[in-house]
Each structure stands twice: as C-alpha cells, then as structure tokens.
Amino acid sequence: MNHRETTKRRWSALVSALACWAILAGALARPADAVGPDNSQTNPGQWYSAQLHIHGWSNHNAGAQPGSMQYHTAWAQAKGVDVLWWSDHNKMFVQSMDLPLNLAGATVNAALDIALLHPPGIDPSYRGWQIGWLDAVVAGSGAPSATVTDGVLRMALQDPASRFGSFTYRALNYQQGLIAGHSLGRPLTSDPALKVAVARCDASSSADAWAEIRVGLSWHTTQGVARPQELVYRLTPASEPPTVTASSTVVTYTIPLPGSSRALSRQEGRETLTIERALLLDAGLLPDGDDNALQALTFRVGSRNGAAACLEISDFSISSRQQDVAANMASQRPIAQRLYAAYGVVQHTGWEQNAGTWHMNPYLPQGASLLPVWPDANLTTFTPTVKAQGGLAALNHPFGANYGPLLPDDQQDALVQNRLSTLLSAHAWGMNLLEIYLERQGVDLAHHLKLWDLLAANGVAMCGIATSDQHGGPLTSPRTHMVTWINAPDPSQNTLLAGLAGCRAFFGRIDRFDGVLDLRLGSTLMGGFYSIAPGSGQLQVTATPLPAGAQVKLVQVANQPGGQLNYIVDHQPIDPSQPVAIDTSRPGFVRIELWSASGEPIAFSNRIYLRSLQCDVTQDGVVNIVDMQSVAGAFNQTVPPAPERFDLHPDGVINVRDVVLAEQCWRQR
C-alpha cells in the first residue's frame, strides 16, 4: 500500500471517529437527572417522534381548554408520540408583573357589568393582560345588585326559590374576552399569592347563602376524561369552622369571616378580613397540582329561600413570590421527570422566545446556561448566543402566530415574497430550523413549503420541522398531530440535538404515519451535501410502512436567486422500492413528499443538497490532506474565530458535517 493510500485511510478513520463522537457526545455529557431513558436503553439509529413546540402552562392566547403538562402527556402517550419538548413563553418564567383588580373609578352599567380602568403603575402596553371587565352572570330567579364605592365592590343576591340561585362576576379583559397574556396565566410554580380584603355583608347562614372566590386552573386528564382543576375559597360567617375538602378536580377551603385580622370596612363600618393564600400550597391536594397555571377568576354569591347573600371585595391582587428566572425554569423539570415516569413519554424543557414580531425556540444541550429574556430578544445577537452554547435556533410560524380562514392564493403568494425578502436580507439570522404548518395566519401548507424551498434555493438552507404549537385542547384538529421524527441513538436531549443539527429528520402527521422516511444519494444521507458531478445519481428512498394507496412524490429544485422556484422535477410520483435517477450536474436539492390516495398530506422528508463543494480551505489551489487537517483541527469552534471558509456547511460552527464534507472532497478529488 502506498503512502498516499495509507494517509487517506487514516484520515477517513479520523472522520469516522469524529462522526461517532458527535452522535455520542450528548449521551456521554447527559447528567444523571436528565429526563428520559438512560444509556442502557439506547437503540442506535432509531427514529423518535417529537413534538418540538408545545405549551404546558402558557395560555397567552386564552384558549378554551388550557392544558397542563399532564394533559398533553396523556394525549402523547395515547397517540404514540415519543418526546415532548416543552416551550412555554419566555414571560412565563419572568413573573415580575402583578395582577390587581383596580376598582378605583370603576363604573357599573344597567346589566351590572363593571368596566375597570387600567391599573396604575403597569405599562399600558400590557393592557390586554389585565382585568378590564367584570362580566355579570345571574342564574335563578333572584334579584342581584352591585355597587362600587371608594374602591370596594359590593355584590348581593336574594333568591326566593328553594333551589340556589347565583350571581357571578367573571374577570375578563377590556374587550370582554378571556384574559390572554402572562399576568393572569402564570404558573403555580412561581408561587403566586392571592391577597384580598373581604367581608360578608349579610347575616345569613351557609345553609341558605354563600359567597366564594374561585380560581380556575389548567386542564388535566383522569381516566381518559379531561377537566379543569379549580381552587374554591368559600367565605362563611364567623360562627362556622374552617374546613378543607378535595376531589380530583376541586379543592374547597372554607374561611370564616371576619377573622383574627380585622379592620373596619369602608362601607358601614363593617369588619373585613384580609386573606392571603399561597396558591401553589393550596393546589397541593390536587393530583399533579403543581402542574398548573392560573386560567380564570370569578367572584360569586348564592342564595335560596329568600336569604340575603352579600360579599364585599377590595384591595385584590395576585403576585408571584418566585420571580427568579432560573428557579422558575428549573421548576418545570421535576414535573417533567414525574410525567416521564408515569407515562413513558420522554420530556425535555425549553422555552419560546419573543423577538418583536418574530418568535423563536432555542433548543439547548443539557447544562447550557442561557435563560429566557424579557423584554424581547434581539435575534441578531440572541441567535449567535444560542449557537455559542451548542444549541439550535428555530424560526417559529414564519407567517405569524394567529389562525383564521385561508387567504386567497394571490395574498398568500404576496406573503411568501414578503417573508422571503425579509429573511434573505437577514440570512434568517443564522437560524437552523424552520417550522412548517398545515395552515397558519391564513397561509396553507403549500405556501409554507414554497417559502422553505425558496430560502434554500437562495442559499439559506434551514432544516424543516413540523410542530403543533398547542396551548391546550381540544386536541382533535389535524395540526395537533403534526410532529417531527428525529434519527438518534436515544431520545436524550443532546442526542436529539445532534440529529437535528445534521437534519436527520422528517415531519408530518402521526395520525397518518409513524414509520421511516429517509433518503440516500451515494453515501450522502438526508440532511447532507452531495458534490455535483456530470450525469445522474441513484436516489434511494425509504418510505416504510407505506400507507395503502399513498403516493411518494419527488421534488428536485435547482438553486436560483429570486422569488420563483426552478423545478428540475416537480412533484413526480415515484416507486420508492426502486432507485430513482436524478440529475446531479446542477446545484440545488432533492426531497420527497408522501400523500394519501385522497390527496391529504402525510409526511415530508428533509433534503439532500447538491452543491459544488469549495474544499480548498487553505486556498493553495489544490484539495489535499492539509485541507482536511485544517477543518478537523478547528473542530467545535465557532465562526469566528475559525475562518468562514472552514464552515463548509455554513451554520456558524465547525462541526462533524464540515469534517465529513472535507472528507468527501478528499475522496472525490
């Protein structure tokens, strides 16, 4: 064997060793308390279905069924989802804003609804996060009344019927809708305290009259049935003893009024009691009680048999006593560990970071120190920080976060061009991943895929992922089932990151497919780069098990600057059991799509890129062993200090993909 061949073999062995290290690094670095199976349970090369963007506590969109982590985990177990990667909003962990009930200057209309003014001392930008309206709801035949005087709300009811009637105030926002944002909807692990001055302004016994404050919590699933949990504070006359009763969904605390902490009420010299409740502690009697966020707030009185029920409320507020961001982030992990042990669904924790009109998810390795920031992050500086800590950055819902009817095609096309222009000018801030949705912000799947393909054709290659971005239920819509499958030796946090870093991933609907979708061109796997050469190559497609009647379609696009795609192959049906000849002479990419016989989307591969590899990193006019040595010698460095020309797979870091590309050049020279 000559010296040249010996050297070539030695460097090939080094490349293989580096590749193995990249895959195993996460498992070796994973701490003992990481959520998920340990290394003894690994299955190298397995595909794991992952929900990469899901909210267990953030009900910022004021959904109808705000789900707990347990609620989503029970669903994932039933659907066969392997991994949940929690991504509650950054503000959920930065709980510095109080939720007061500002009764000063409030007005009561003829229907007894109460309009509130914005609380002093709170930034008006967050007006939508505050209580702006008390919505009056009356049940029964009684006559309700309400006044607000000097900051004191007095609500009363007298119902002559033998069955209880009720008079309820629901706390809503200024638009008379459910309160969105993160001021009411704060996690219990931030240790929120409810404080209020209360008085019973009646002399009735609890047999015929009652008053209470109710705090609605997140939805949980018990024996297949989903219901919200709730804390109830029943305010009784002083003569009645305090009691506590609990079920799987409700804990009721009976609090006699007035109590030991008495002061004169501002109305009629009545005695009041200032009560302060630790909501996390009070929820401890509920199953998974710490796995909750506040979701609703109501004040109620009830009456029957002509008894008078009357309640006075003032100086109400909710504030979090745990405001340390790191502590609030850490509080989610033991809950995730407990749910993994109970359901077998692997759990990782992260967050969704607001950045002005854009949102992004940082996916970080175990041990990373980066934390959520508030106010919004600057993507120009935040994305490099994520990468510097060994993480990946995902651009979330690129057209916007809202839902609604699909827009006309011409408007969707215009949005694609608008987003393309913005993202190309910023090179997508160097992000690694792009979310693909069935529909979002009025934009359908086809236009999401078009934006993704146009970015790649213009030199901004991002790995495609699909997510549900669920904030709760009902978990029935098609988008609920959108997941990403990741190829990794085990589902630990670091090895899944390694799989995503190499774009060893495909995405689709787990209710239609739960198999393997993969590509190989020569020795290049899906997510990799193939060096262009004259002629054609044989693309090997794995699509198994193939659903009955499903079609596999080939998409090949040539790189071309601008806003139009230059198709080499435009969604051509292929037989995945046979190699497919593709043109390897032009830079671009190839991917496949899986569709049902009725034309419904099932699953989508990521790409193999065809490009002219510029491997003469030493710029001496030849590709030789020194180029491989240079790239390997800069392994794990960011760019800079490593020269940009070493970053053969341009993602801002010299990693195994760059070393493998350098090795491919060496082999093919």
Side-chain angles (χ1 to χ4, degrees), residues 15 59 107 125 135 144 282 311 326 354 387 425 432 456 499 502 517 552 637:
V15 169
N59 190 29
T107 57
S125 302
D135 186 54
D282 285 349
L311 175 65
N354 285 36
K387 290 185 172 183
S425 65
N432 311 92
L517 201 59
V552 180
Q637 293 184 22

Side-chain angles (χ1 to χ4, degrees), residues 11-12 15 628 658-668:
W11 276 95
S12 294
V15 169
M628 286 187 64
D658 302 299
V659 178
V660 169
L661 287 174
E663 190 262 352
Q664 288 180 7
C665 289
W666 171 249
R667 286 180 182 274
Q668 297 171 15

Side-chain angles (χ1 to χ4, degrees), residues 188 191-198 213 215 231-235 242-245 251-257 273-285 294 316-321:
L188 284 192
D191 196 16
L194 183 156
K195 186 176 182 181
V196 61
V198 291
I213 299 172
V215 179
L231 296 174
V232 178
Y233 300 100
R234 181 66 66 98
L235 309 173
T243 62
V244 180
T245 59
V251 180
T252 301
Y253 292 88
T254 298
I255 304 172
L257 299 180
L273 172 66
T274 297
I275 61 174
E276 184 168 355
R277 304 298 304 191
L279 301 183
L280 174 61
L281 180 64
D282 285 349
L285 295 179
L294 308 186
F316 177 94
S317 68
I318 295 176
S319 58
S320 290
R321 295 184 287 195

Side-chain angles (χ1 to χ4, degrees), residues 256 275 318 335 503 597 613 627:
I275 61 174
I318 295 176
I335 298 173
C503 203
L613 298 179
D627 298 297

Side-chain angles (χ1 to χ4, degrees), residues 629-640:
Q629 290 173 328
S630 300
V631 174
F635 189 75
N636 220 26
Q637 293 184 22
T638 58
V639 179

